[in-house]
Amino acid sequence: MSEIDSAYAPARGYDDVVVTAPVTVPYVRRSEHGAAWFLGRALAGLIETSGVAMDSIDGLTVSSFTLHPDSAVSFTQYVGSSPRFLESIPTGGACGVIAMRRAARAVQAGDANIVACIAGDTANASSFRELIANFSTFARDYVYPYGAGGPNQSFAFLTDHYMRTRGATRADFGKLCVAQRENARPNPLALFREPMTLEAYLASRPIAEPIHLFDCVMPCAGADAFLVMHRRRAEKLGLPFVRILSTIERHNAYSNDPIQMRGGWLMDRDRLYAEAAIEPGDIDFVETYDDYPVISMLQFEGLGFCPEGGAPEFVRRNTFTIDGSFPHNTSGGQLSMGQAGAAGGFLGLVEAIRQLIDKPLGAAVPNAKVGLVSGFGMINYDRGLCSAAAILARP
Amino acid sequence: MSSQTSNKTAGNDGWLKPAVDAAARGMIAIRRCARCGRNHYPPREICPFCLDDRLDWEISDRANGVMLAQTVLHHSNEEKFRARLPLRVGLVHLQCGPTVVAFVDDRCIPGSGVMVSARLDEEGRPVLAAVPQQRD
Ligand SMILES: [Zn+2]
């Protein structure tokens, strides 16, 4: 840690601010609806699940790639919402944790009573190509002209380098993918629920070597959402809820590394565990951002479950199914449920909430009291820029 | 879409013209800060190391570096690349500082030295390509 970092005072805790009402608008491969439909159905789902009136939702965070040219602001007019707190959270795979921590501070400070956090996207034949072709100026002008491989291509570089420097094999990645598919089997909302063998994983066709088909998430349409409010309000509404023990976020970490071998979690994880007053060994289950398996490995390392470079060995000596030694991506993750754009950044968080209120989409992690959710967002040029994590617990 | 993104000298991209002109002559252009002396890529109008806006172009016929990683693409989101699949692309750490994406020759090996040069692609954008370093 730098001198300035170590001088920081610990962040204030979240007191009695809680997270509740996880909602998923079921994912579909393609849709004729616009992004506003998915976001609007998520908002309606929050109201239906919680019994809170639309007028009582006085805070809103919105995450979407395909809402453009509309924005969080124009979306309020679209759905007839009149919030006094509004945030657009554009951090992709890190947007769930980041939306939650923004919302929690707004509630804590009294800027809003109830914040609806929603993320969603549509998908059609051309939306994915349009998104990746114009993802950013760096991506558009300095990566896309080199074969238009999209995120597969950028993650292939990181995977190739990680395999050669850290000794990871395709079978190590495959073990994570097979376990996630196993976790998806009882989840009725997963797009892919049929069992997958390691042999099938290894035999899948190359897309951007060393990335093969079953390393890739399926782009799809859908939305996820949750509410943030005071504990006493949730109790009055009779809503089961979870506590926020601690959160971190970081952007553009280690920018002088010639190639990404670590994410921002490493910079902030001491604070994450210290503020939650727990150790990595106290965590009952972990939801990582699983686009792609190598990134789950960087999260195991960055969040202190194993040393830097130690994830291949960690994967070999653990099992990652719901009943395994390290329950991981317990709904099946994006690899099984699909990647509904920005909702992919919410998927792990809503699953963690569900595990801790005993309403998982699929199977329950036995005796789970504390869960860790991690996010990784916005692969830009040569690396992912956003990292975030949160530790959640039963009341 | 590509027609909107191809003309690098239009609109607010005029500051990139020296890189386009260099690539038309086969030369690679790297941004260099007049204040801190550090190089960066992709090119910016603000130095990411010191925030100064006095930035020069270092133009040369090739830049040496080490290929850090590679991929072989078997899928492309653009029709024009599909006929060229499988296509090899790499990440090259240049000796002068930055890491660049480049097309790479089949003989380039990860961890080994490469030489990077530039050209214009069919849409008039500068693109980089790497070949193995010559041994003298
Ligand atoms: Zn500078």
Side-chain angles (χ1 to χ4, degrees), chain B residues 32-38 40 46-55:
Chain B
R32 181 180 184 82
C33 178
R35 181 184 178 201
C36 73
R38 295 182 71 174
H40 74 253
I46 296 290
C47 173
F49 303 108
C50 75
L51 298 183
D52 209 279
D53 67 346
R54 289 168 296 160
L55 295 155

Side-chain angles (χ1 to χ4, degrees), chain B residues 2-122:
Chain B
S2 38
S3 61
Q4 292 168 2
T5 60
S6 61
N7 188 351
K8 301 311 304 165
T9 58
N12 296 329
D13 285 345
W15 62 276
L16 285 166
K17 191 169 184 298
V20 179
D21 293 345
R25 292 179 286 125
M27 313 278 274
I28 178 171
I30 298 287
R31 250 347 205 172
R32 181 180 184 82
C33 178
R35 181 184 178 201
C36 73
R38 295 182 71 174
N39 300 310
H40 74 253
Y41 185 94
R44 300 154 166 92
E45 290 190 275
I46 296 290
C47 173
F49 303 108
C50 75
L51 298 183
D52 209 279
D53 67 346
R54 289 168 296 160
L55 295 155
D56 303 322
W57 293 102
E58 288 278 301
I59 292 171
S60 52
D61 57 355
R62 65 176 63 90
N64 289 329
V66 172
M67 184 161 85
L68 296 178
Q70 66 169 353
T71 181
V72 180
L73 297 177
H74 295 266
H75 171 268
S76 174
N77 292 285
E78 293 291 341
E79 186 59 44
K80 66 174 182 183
F81 289 117
R82 288 186 191 137
R84 293 165 61 187
L85 298 175
L87 185 60
R88 191 177 298 265
V89 186
L91 267 188
V92 177
H93 186 206
L94 298 181
Q95 271 167 20
C96 69
T99 297
V100 302
V101 178
F103 292 112
V104 296
D105 184 285
D106 283 348
R107 297 163 299 163
C108 293
I109 299 164
S112 297
V114 296
M115 294 187 312
V116 178
S117 61
R119 59 179 168 78
L120 292 180
D121 71 6
E122 340 39 279

Side-chain angles (χ1 to χ4, degrees), chain A residues 213-231:
Chain A
L213 185 64
F214 292 156
D215 294 306
C216 304
V217 296
M218 174 64 72
C220 66
D224 288 285
F226 54 86
L227 293 176
V228 177
M229 63 181 72
H230 268 288
R231 177 187 188 122

Side-chain angles (χ1 to χ4, degrees), chain A residues 128-130 132-134 138 140-153 156-158 160-161 164 205-211 256-259 381-383, chain B residues 1-2 5 8 13 16 38 41-44 49 68-78 81 87 89-91 93 99-103 110-111 121 125-128:
Chain A
F128 184 72
R129 177 185 161 278
E130 285 165 14
I132 61 174
N134 285 296
F138 285 3
R140 181 193 67 197
D141 296 336
Y142 301 99
V143 184
Y144 201 69
Y146 297 88
N152 291 329
Q153 179 173 354
F157 292 142
L158 303 186
D160 175 65
H161 186 257
R164 271 183 293 96
R205 65 186 166 86
I207 302 294
E209 290 181 63
I211 285 176
N256 290 330
D257 288 359
I259 184 169
Y381 186 56
D382 61 341
R383 65 194 66 203
Chain B
M1 175 183 317
S2 38
T5 60
K8 301 311 304 165
D13 285 345
L16 285 166
R38 295 182 71 174
Y41 185 94
R44 300 154 166 92
F49 303 108
L68 296 178
Q70 66 169 353
T71 181
V72 180
L73 297 177
H74 295 266
H75 171 268
S76 174
N77 292 285
E78 293 291 341
F81 289 117
L87 185 60
V89 186
L91 267 188
H93 186 206
T99 297
V100 302
V101 178
F103 292 112
D121 71 6
R125 291 179 295 209
V127 289
L128 307 179

Side-chain angles (χ1 to χ4, degrees), chain A residues 40-305:
Chain A
R41 292 314 299 162
L43 191 55
L46 290 174
I47 289 168
E48 190 185 335
T49 301
S50 65
V52 169
M54 177 77 154
D55 289 349
S56 301
I57 296 178
D58 57 353
L60 182 64
T61 81
V62 179
S63 299
S64 180
F65 292 107
T66 52
L67 188 60
H68 179 81
D70 286 312
S71 64
V73 176
S74 55
F75 179 71
T76 64
Q77 187 178 40
Y78 195 100
V79 293
S81 160
S82 183
R84 63 186 177 118
F85 169 87
L86 178 67
E87 285 273 9
S88 178
I89 312 282
T91 50
C95 71
V97 168
I98 292 176
M100 181 185 74
R101 70 199 302 262
R102 298 283 187 284
R105 292 307 189 197
V107 169
Q108 189 174 33
D111 290 341
N113 292 326
I114 301 177
V115 181
C117 299
I118 59 177
D121 272 294
T122 190
N124 57 50
S126 63
S127 59
F128 184 72
R129 177 185 161 278
E130 285 165 14
L131 174 65
I132 61 174
N134 285 296
F135 195 69
S136 69
T137 53
F138 285 3
R140 181 193 67 197
D141 296 336
Y142 301 99
V143 184
Y144 201 69
Y146 297 88
N152 291 329
Q153 179 173 354
S154 300
F155 282 102
F157 292 142
L158 303 186
T159 304
D160 175 65
H161 186 257
Y162 188 88
M163 290 174 80
R164 271 183 293 96
T165 54
R166 303 302 201 192
T169 65
R170 288 198 60 226
D172 297 329
F173 299 134
K175 183 174 178 180
L176 292 175
C177 297
V178 168
Q180 287 190 207
R181 186 65 70 86
E182 185 67 22
N183 291 346
R185 286 178 72 179
N187 175 359
L189 296 188
L191 290 183
F192 301 101
R193 298 173 65 191
E194 64 281 12
M196 181 168 72
T197 63
L198 185 61
E199 291 68 36
Y201 169 88
L202 292 171
S204 66
R205 65 186 166 86
I207 302 294
E209 290 181 63
I211 285 176
H212 291 62
L213 185 64
F214 292 156
D215 294 306
C216 304
V217 296
M218 174 64 72
C220 66
D224 288 285
F226 54 86
L227 293 176
V228 177
M229 63 181 72
H230 268 288
R231 177 187 188 122
R232 60 179 178 279
R233 199 178 294 273
E235 286 170 345
K236 195 179 280 185
L237 289 162
L239 293 174
F241 57 83
V242 303
R243 290 183 300 135
I244 309 167
L245 299 189
S246 63
T247 69
I248 52 170
E249 75 177 79
R250 180 69 63 173
H251 306 280
N252 193 33
Y254 305 116
S255 60
N256 290 330
D257 288 359
I259 184 169
Q260 187 164 43
M261 298 180 73
R262 51 186 176 167
W265 309 281
L266 192 60
M267 294 182 81
D268 302 297
R269 71 160 186 236
D270 290 350
R271 169 192 301 264
L272 178 75
Y273 290 114
E275 288 168 12
I278 62 170
E279 306 278 329
D282 300 327
I283 304 283
D284 297 312
F285 66 92
V286 173
E287 310 288 344
T288 66
Y289 190 77
D290 59 332
D291 173 10
Y292 296 61
V294 71
I295 302 302
S296 290
M297 289 203 187
L298 292 188
Q299 285 160 92
F300 297 156
E301 296 174 4
L303 291 161
F305 295 107

